[in-house]
Amino acid sequence: MGTPPTTHPQPPTANAPHAGHPHPHRNPHRHPHPLRRALLRLLLPAFLTAAIVLPLAGAARPTVPAPPPATLTTPLTPAALPAAYEANRKNAGEAARMAAAHGDTHRAAADRALAAPSRHLLAFDGRGNGQVVEVMGDLAHARHIAVLVPGSDTTLDTYPRFHRAAASLYAALTHRPAESRTPANAVAVIAWLGYETPATVSTTVTTTTRADEAAPRLRAFVRDLRTAAPADAHLTLLCHSYGSVVCGRAAPGLAADDIALIGSPGTGAGSVTALHTRARVWAARGAADWVAHVPHVRAGLFGTGVTVGFGTDPVSAAFGARVFDVAGADHSGYFTPGSASLANLARITLGETSEVTRA
């Protein structure tokens, strides 16, 4: 979700003094004044928005012209992968030409990069903010697969930073001792920008709405992935920031072996049990990650049926995840080369659960 803000507005806390309260010796939160309750309900979305989001470069570009996504005529199987990659690269090349003709050189460059012969695209849609699903490695023979699910404000315009995170993990997985690089340990990493991420400054970033829309798409993608990769491949979802909300909503019925929540504001569930998943669930937050300041609450908004906030802190004992060490990672630093965080994410991806250092 980008660089952390320099300051964080804080919601009222249970121990904060209430200026001007006529009975300072009483606990003003035991029987809160109706006006106070109303103000808290009014300000909660603002608190969450201020804590979760920071404007990033790369604004939404809903008017960028692009062709419809490529239509694949065969199911996704190992044999069909080369044709799928080629069709989506061709589509990205056409999107680049259309964006350039429209005068959007930034989008044209992003599309052109994805159209390069070295890129392996399982999906591409250059319309609006855009979506792309990219593979690193030999998916058809991979025994260990990591799917990265990004957080807010990830679009085609900001995709390079998401790609760098996936490439960093792929490098960590492949630059291992020679004795561990065997066919049984073949790996693939997938950058899954397969949903419309919420904008950094919006009400949607404080609710599960976009995650609820994305969840069935992620489940369907994982099902398709199981047909394109070896049947017994170990599959891990690495879910960053708002992406952990997506993974939380998709968890029931998700055919994954491990789910790792990193820099998570919450999942919308109160506990691992409430995720209704057979996967092992991991969670981590770096010492320098500003998401620690997000209030872990869920509240209905003005009787609209909309719920604001994401509930229990995933690194808390109450949530029940396997909490692992990411040292001093900041919100954008979980995939930093050489970091404790990246080393543990690689171990989780490889199923080396006994080697993961716990927090």
Side-chain angles (χ1 to χ4, degrees):
M1 282 168 53
T3 309
T6 56
T7 60
H8 306 286
Q10 299 294 320
T13 63
N15 296 322
H18 183 61
H21 195 280
H23 301 288
H25 61 282
R26 296 182 184 172
N27 181 350
H29 299 280
R30 182 171 300 168
H31 302 289
H33 190 278
L35 178 59
R36 183 180 181 83
R37 287 200 302 269
L39 286 172
L40 286 174
R41 290 170 64 85
L42 177 64
L43 293 174
L44 179 58
F47 286 137
L48 286 164
T49 300
I52 296 174
V53 300
L54 174 72
L56 300 174
R61 299 172 184 271
T63 60
V64 179
T71 301
L72 305 180
T73 57
T74 58
L76 192 61
T77 64
L81 285 173
Y85 295 156
E86 176 60 29
N88 285 303
R89 283 195 299 265
K90 182 177 179 181
N91 191 270
E94 179 60 24
R97 288 186 287 274
M98 293 176 70
H102 185 68
D104 194 326
T105 57
H106 182 80
R107 173 59 69 83
D111 292 341
R112 196 175 301 115
L114 287 165
S118 61
R119 309 301 280 267
H120 294 165
L121 309 183
L122 278 176
F124 176 84
D125 186 351
R127 299 171 298 178
N129 287 331
Q131 296 180 20
V132 61
V133 180
E134 182 174 10
V135 177
M136 298 170 201
D138 183 359
L139 180 59
H141 298 97
R143 312 302 301 187
H144 301 279
I145 303 168
V147 178
L148 276 61
V149 181
S152 67
D153 223 13
T154 308
T155 66
L156 282 184
D157 297 300
T158 61
Y159 180 75
R161 69 169 183 242
F162 182 41
H163 177 268
R164 284 193 296 272
S168 180
L169 176 64
Y170 185 68
L173 292 168
T174 54
H175 296 166
R176 295 173 68 84
E179 59 270 19
S180 69
R181 297 198 300 271
T182 66
N185 283 326
V187 298
V189 173
I190 300 174
W192 187 80
L193 176 53
Y195 78 110
E196 182 79 9
T197 65
T200 50
V201 179
S202 68
T203 56
T204 54
V205 82
T206 65
T207 76
T208 63
T209 300
R210 290 289 172 87
D212 290 333
E213 295 168 355
R217 303 186 65 164
L218 180 57
R219 279 193 293 266
F221 172 72
V222 170
R223 284 195 300 270
D224 289 344
L225 192 57
R226 288 296 189 184
T227 69
D232 59 349
H234 175 261
L235 179 62
T236 301
L237 267 68
L238 306 180
C239 317
H240 179 242
S241 199
Y242 190 88
S244 65
V245 188
V246 175
C247 291
R249 307 307 269 186
L254 190 65
D257 299 291
D258 288 272
I259 298 173
L261 313 169
I262 47 179
S264 173
T267 63
S271 67
V272 167
T273 300
L275 292 176
H276 302 291
T277 178
R278 66 175 181 83
R280 286 181 293 253
V281 178
W282 305 79
R285 184 172 62 232
D289 190 339
W290 54 263
V291 85
H293 300 283
V294 172
H296 291 285
V297 295
R298 277 174 65 76
L301 187 60
F302 303 118
T304 62
V306 175
T307 301
V308 175
F310 306 116
T312 309
D313 186 349
V315 300
S316 68
F319 190 74
R322 303 176 182 214
V323 181
F324 62 98
D325 179 35
V326 291
D330 63 21
H331 196 64
S332 302
Y334 293 100
F335 295 90
T336 300
S339 65
S341 173
L342 185 62
N344 275 330
L345 291 172
R347 291 168 186 141
I348 293 170
T349 297
L350 292 170
E352 299 173 352
T353 57
S354 63
E355 302 300 315
V356 176
T357 56
R358 306 291 283 269

